[in-house]
Amino acid sequence: MKIGIDKLGFYTPHLYVDMNKLAEARNVEPEKFTIGIGQEKMAVPPVTQDAVTLAANAALDILDETDKEKIDFVIFGTESGIDHSKSAGVYVHQLLGLNPEARTIEVKQACYGATAAIQMAKGHIALHPESKVLVLGSDIARYGLNTAGEATQGAGAVALVISADPKVMVLEEKSAYLTADIMDFWRPVYSDIAFVDGKLSNEQYISFFGKVWEQYKEKTGLELKDFEAICYHMPYTKMGLKALRTVLDEASVEDQERLLANYEISKGYNKNIGNIYTGSLYLSLLALLEQKDDMVAGARIGLFSYGSGAVGEFFTSILQPGYKDHLNIKQHADLLSARREVSVSEYEEIFEETLPIDGSTMELDIDKDPAEICLTGITDNMRQYVNKRN
Ligand code: HMG
């Protein structure tokens, strides 16, 4: 049975800061951020957006009535959860008006969460081929103002419908994965910013890629020449390139050129949004699918997922005939072009604006947020949401 990605959506907030201006404010040469890190713009989430609303906005326009009826499993990957108990997916299930006869859960393993969700979804479809699974990957990357990680923040979400006979890409059966207990990046439950050993995290990312790639080649006998492109988890757009370069000498010059050119295309959205943690890999996949014109059905795309802590996986997909007719290219271009730039001081103010944690009530001004689904405030320790379309 063919199982894979039937639909893909994404959402990012309407505000961003320019990395050249952030560099200037931090007394850093702009090229460090734009070339060394590889980021041009960084999404800035207003207080009216959280992991729930980002995910719901990402899914809002890709689901039709049949999807809503057939989705019987919602898996929400996030490391920016809003509750230690209730799953963020339950809020999204309600906001989107999905069929009540569904299972809904949240999964977590840093940036690997959405990949875990996809693999679970695959197993579910294998048992129930007539059903569909909604996978959400949604996060707000926060390291803090004036920290080394600041230039690698971002916010956004992806939504994927996993089904049998998918219209966009089939996920192949064999994959390679690895777990090791590593303190490269973590966020204790009492902290709203991540702690990170930047150098170690870069090293482990590359080391995990090397190990799962070797394991994958042994399992499948495939080589770089068998890939049209490889998409990477992109905490910042230089990171995947560093990993790709470690294996490029296994390929002919022609294959190297193709993989490097396609890497450039795949970073098109990430370099303008920043790290969206668990959705980042799928944002790079989306950019490749939407921005590259000459990929043919049957082409194989590799996917490298890395979640600090750490779990990594290399898996693969095959493009389906007519896949481009099932993408939302214009909608995503419009979403990005309608964004508004904020100054560094506005960004700092927005960064500091958080919800009360003492049970007090706060009402938020959602008129300033063009998103269809917003957080309207908090009452009695309960977040309040609205879908403006209802
Ligand atoms: P840093 O110490 O500020 O930067 O931290 P640096 O000194 O390492 O410089 C960065 C690059 O800029 C270097 O390039 C410099 O040479 C270059 P490289 O040698 O590495 O290729 N550079 C310049 N280039 C051009 N012109 C200049 C210039 N100056 C310097 N003038 C770091 C950078 C990424 C470590 C930091 O931002 C950080 O800690 N970020 C967060 C951690 C992270 O993103 N790690 C990535 C791997 S782990 C992962 O992907 C998982 C994650 O997504 C979390 C999860 O799983 O949930 C993070």
Side-chain angles (χ1 to χ4, degrees), residues 29 31-32 35-37 79 110-111 143 148-149 152 184-185 196 198 201-202 205 233 235-236 238-239 242 275 277 306-308:
E29 283 179 31
E31 293 76 18
K32 174 173 175 185
I35 299 168
I37 303 266
E79 53 182 300
C111 298
Y143 293 92
T152 61
D184 61 331
F185 168 106
V196 63
S201 73
N202 288 352
Y205 178 112
H233 164 54
Y236 55 95
K238 187 83 169 287
M239 187 72 248
K242 288 186 195 195
N275 196 355
Y277 288 158
Y306 178 77
S308 283

Side-chain angles (χ1 to χ4, degrees), residues 237-255:
T237 68
K238 187 83 169 287
M239 187 72 248
L241 183 61
K242 288 186 195 195
L244 174 61
R245 281 180 180 151
T246 62
V247 297
L248 269 185
D249 63 359
E250 295 173 14
S252 68
V253 173
E254 192 191 327
D255 292 334

Side-chain angles (χ1 to χ4, degrees), residues 67 96 154 158 188 206 231 238 246 285 295 302 326 331 361 363 368 373 385:
D67 295 324
L96 298 176
V158 295
I206 292 172
C231 291
K238 187 83 169 287
T246 62
L285 170 65
M295 287 197 295
H326 303 284
Q331 187 208 339
T361 294
E363 268 182 45
K368 284 192 280 179
I373 296 175
Y385 295 103

